[in-house]
Amino acid sequence: MLLQSKTRAINSAFLEEIKQLNRDLWDLVEDVAVACNYRLKTAEGCTFFCIRMTRLRDQLATHFSLEEAFGYFDDPVDLAPRLSDTAERLLQEHKSLQHRISELVAFTWALHNRGTLQVAFAQVAKEFDGFHKELKRHERREQLLILQAYDDDIGVGD
């Protein structure tokens, strides 16, 4: 049986640029995180929160798409296997993170449409906090991957 494996390379310069240019996404993430520390007091506040969550989901999808299209490459000629394996795991995390935020957005809108978001907001905030922590861990691991790829490119640690 022939087994074919896929390897990943990292376009570290472009991946880093994607992260630096996407300040709107990270500002929105922090805005939602701060909003989760307060109670929703009005129906308009609930609607506004749901809209921010929807924007976050959509911007995160765009961010991940850019990373996947331009920050990683399939089947490079020269690649350290340790970086390829890490890159593949990080790419798989995109799917998991995107699914998690999509489910949370759907849950938040469902609560809002039933008129129960204000009452159940602590649960939404707790779920968002878990997502936020997971997203930050993911981003730290991507930053580490960028640094490792730069080190490999310039030969640091030889």
Side-chain angles (χ1 to χ4, degrees):
M1 174 175 14
L2 177 63
L3 294 176
Q4 184 176 12
S5 66
K6 183 184 260 188
T7 56
R8 300 265 182 206
I10 300 93
N11 181 346
S12 50
F14 197 77
L15 188 57
E16 183 177 29
E17 187 173 333
I18 291 169
K19 294 194 174 305
Q20 290 175 354
L21 292 176
N22 210 344
R23 278 303 334 148
D24 289 344
L25 169 65
W26 304 114
D27 289 346
L28 185 55
V29 168
E30 292 306 316
D31 184 43
V32 171
V34 168
C36 286
N37 291 320
Y38 299 97
R39 302 191 86 185
L40 295 177
K41 297 179 180 166
T42 65
E44 293 80 20
C46 290
T47 301
F48 185 65
F49 181 80
C50 289
I51 291 168
R52 282 191 288 183
M53 289 288 289
T54 302
R55 283 185 49 225
L56 172 58
R57 179 202 60 205
D58 296 347
Q59 284 189 328
L60 190 61
T62 300
H63 177 76
F64 287 158
S65 293
L66 286 171
E67 284 186 353
E68 291 167 14
F70 302 109
Y72 297 94
F73 297 120
D74 292 336
D75 301 319
V77 175
D78 296 315
L79 178 67
R82 67 185 170 78
L83 294 183
S84 178
D85 293 344
T86 301
E88 187 60 37
R89 279 192 302 276
L90 289 168
L91 284 170
Q92 293 305 313
E93 286 180 13
H94 287 180
K95 293 175 189 167
S96 171
L97 287 162
Q98 192 62 45
H99 177 74
R100 188 168 181 183
I101 192 65
S102 294
E103 290 290 315
L104 183 54
V105 168
F107 178 64
T108 303
W109 275 108
L111 289 172
H112 178 53
N113 291 336
R114 287 192 305 250
T116 58
L117 180 56
Q118 287 173 279
V119 175
F121 189 65
Q123 183 180 358
V124 171
K126 181 180 176 185
E127 291 295 323
F128 181 81
D129 184 56
F131 165 79
H132 189 205
K133 286 176 182 172
E134 186 178 343
L135 180 62
K136 287 194 296 189
R137 279 191 301 270
H138 170 82
E139 289 299 309
R140 279 193 300 271
R141 287 192 301 269
E142 280 189 339
Q143 291 294 335
L144 180 59
L145 182 65
I146 291 167
L147 292 173
Q148 290 172 330
Y150 273 134
D151 285 352
D152 284 0
D153 287 346
I154 62 173
V156 173
D158 290 340

